[in-house]
Amino acid sequence: MHGALTRVKYYQQKYIGVRAMYIQFCKEPDNNLALSKCVLTITYIFRFFLLIYAAGGLAYFIIPVYMLVVHQKVTLILHLELPFVDPRQLTGYIVTTIYQGVMIILAIAGILAADMAIMILVLHIFGIVDIFSNKIKELDRMVDCANVNHEAVRRKVTEICIIHREIIKYEEDLDECYHTTVFIQVMSSVSCLSMALFVVYMTRDWTRVMFIGATFFQLLEFCILGTALTLKNDQARIALYHSKWYLLSISDQQRLKFVLHRSQNAVEMTIGGLALLNMETFVAIMKTIYSYFTMMITFIE
């Protein structure tokens, strides 16, 4: 909530920028297709996340229902009680259960909103990079013509440079905005995974498995986002490298040369500046958690 409230202006600016981009390129068939794919991807991911988190929230109710139906034993959803409310009494149990249910719903809504906020911002890079690639293809078609319009080619090169500058600025703002958030998210996920594994091993409380799965999924999600951003940066660099830049004038070649040099040092999301946010880091984190877990088990035994 604090992160969302402190980024209100940032979200407003990004909304205005993305909306302007859609208005600018929606009349161009190739770019409109790229932006439509981007919107559909975001929509499908939102539905998938909503399904996953809703299923995770409903899973918390499985154990109490099972204990009540099979063993005729009243069990709380969570080990979380209200002050001055006795859950052993019927009224206290109902109040506590309602309170815990509301907390689960708020948690799901909050996590979904937070995850989708960064997801929407990162995934729009896909559309911008696709537009960048399409503009390079347009440039190639222009320089292949028998009668080359050098003024139009110069304007197209300028447009490509501007779009690439916008990509870099977009990524820099994204990393600056979520620099601390990603660090806290990853560190908390690692801590939760380690402690939940230890609790499950020591207490055999299998309700924690759902929590382990949700935390694992959230950490995986962030690392996939970082990897996707890296792949899109690679796509922009490769598209520029394979363009027909050698058919341009010397001045235009110099401008694209600068863009190519800048694309080789693209901005990537990091975990507080300590490590890159990608699947390689995810695998390294999983190996570290497993090593510490086995070390603790060995020490206890």
Side-chain angles (χ1 to χ4, degrees):
M1 185 180 295
H2 175 267
L5 291 175
T6 55
R7 298 189 185 104
V8 171
K9 291 184 178 180
Y10 173 77
Y11 290 139
Q12 290 174 343
Q13 291 173 356
K14 289 304 172 188
Y15 170 75
I16 294 172
V18 169
R19 187 172 183 272
M21 180 184 67
Y22 275 80
I23 294 173
Q24 179 181 357
F25 296 109
C26 66
K27 296 181 181 179
E28 302 173 6
D30 291 340
N31 294 330
N32 184 54
L33 178 61
L35 294 173
S36 298
K37 288 181 178 178
C38 181
V39 172
L40 284 175
T41 301
I42 293 173
T43 302
Y44 290 142
I45 289 177
F46 170 75
R47 292 175 181 175
F48 174 73
F49 275 38
L50 179 61
L51 180 64
I52 291 295
Y53 287 141
L58 291 174
Y60 278 99
F61 295 87
I62 293 176
I63 299 299
V65 172
Y66 171 80
M67 295 297 292
L68 182 62
V69 173
V70 177
H71 300 285
Q72 285 76 48
K73 182 180 178 181
V74 175
T75 308
L76 290 174
I77 302 173
L78 303 170
H79 299 292
L80 180 67
E81 300 179 8
L82 287 168
F84 313 112
V85 177
D86 188 0
R88 291 171 295 183
Q89 298 180 359
L90 178 60
T91 304
Y93 175 78
I94 293 174
V95 172
T96 303
T97 301
I98 293 174
Y99 166 71
Q100 293 181 355
V102 171
M103 293 297 292
I104 291 174
I105 293 172
L106 290 176
I108 292 173
I111 294 173
L112 181 63
D115 288 357
M116 285 309 302
I118 186 172
M119 188 76 66
I120 290 172
L121 291 175
V122 172
L123 289 179
H124 269 102
I125 288 291
F126 287 32
I128 302 174
V129 172
D130 288 342
I131 291 173
F132 178 78
S133 300
N134 290 336
K135 292 298 179 180
I136 292 177
K137 292 177 182 177
E138 292 176 12
L139 177 64
D140 289 345
R141 290 194 293 267
M142 293 174 67
V143 297
D144 270 341
C145 293
N147 298 320
V148 180
N149 187 335
H150 296 286
E151 183 61 31
V153 169
R154 191 174 296 107
R155 287 197 300 268
K156 185 62 65 176
V157 171
T158 301
E159 186 179 10
I160 290 172
C161 293
I162 291 173
I163 294 175
H164 188 266
R165 185 181 62 189
E166 291 176 354
I167 292 174
I168 298 299
K169 181 66 167 60
Y170 194 101
E171 292 176 342
E172 288 176 344
D173 291 345
L174 189 65
D175 184 55
E176 182 181 354
C177 178
Y178 282 98
H179 183 270
T180 305
T181 302
V182 170
F183 175 78
I184 294 174
Q185 181 67 50
V186 171
M187 292 299 104
S188 61
S189 296
V190 170
S191 302
C192 290
L193 277 173
S194 304
M195 290 187 290
L197 283 170
F198 182 73
V199 169
V200 168
Y201 180 83
M202 295 298 296
T203 65
R204 297 296 190 271
D205 185 357
W206 299 107
T207 59
R208 299 293 189 279
V209 174
M210 295 176 291
F211 184 76
I212 293 174
T215 309
F216 175 86
F217 177 77
Q218 198 167 35
L219 179 60
L220 176 64
E221 160 207 333
F222 273 80
C223 292
I224 289 176
L225 275 181
T227 302
L229 188 62
T230 301
L231 293 176
K232 276 298 174 179
N233 285 329
D234 292 342
Q235 176 187 330
R237 183 176 66 254
I238 292 171
L240 187 59
Y241 180 80
H242 289 289
S243 66
K244 297 180 180 180
W245 54 269
Y246 47 86
L247 298 177
L248 300 172
S249 64
I250 299 300
S251 60
D252 289 337
Q253 287 183 23
Q254 291 295 330
R255 289 199 289 170
L256 288 188
K257 183 179 179 180
F258 176 78
V259 174
L260 180 61
H261 173 73
R262 186 65 182 86
S263 66
Q264 292 175 338
N265 300 278
V267 178
E268 297 187 22
M269 295 185 69
T270 62
I271 306 174
L274 301 177
L276 293 177
L277 185 68
N278 53 33
M279 290 305 298
E280 293 181 4
T281 303
F282 175 78
V283 173
I285 289 173
M286 290 296 106
K287 289 181 178 179
T288 303
I289 291 175
Y290 177 76
S291 299
Y292 278 109
F293 176 69
T294 54
M295 182 181 65
M296 285 191 298
I297 299 306
T298 303
F299 177 77
I300 292 172
E301 293 179 349

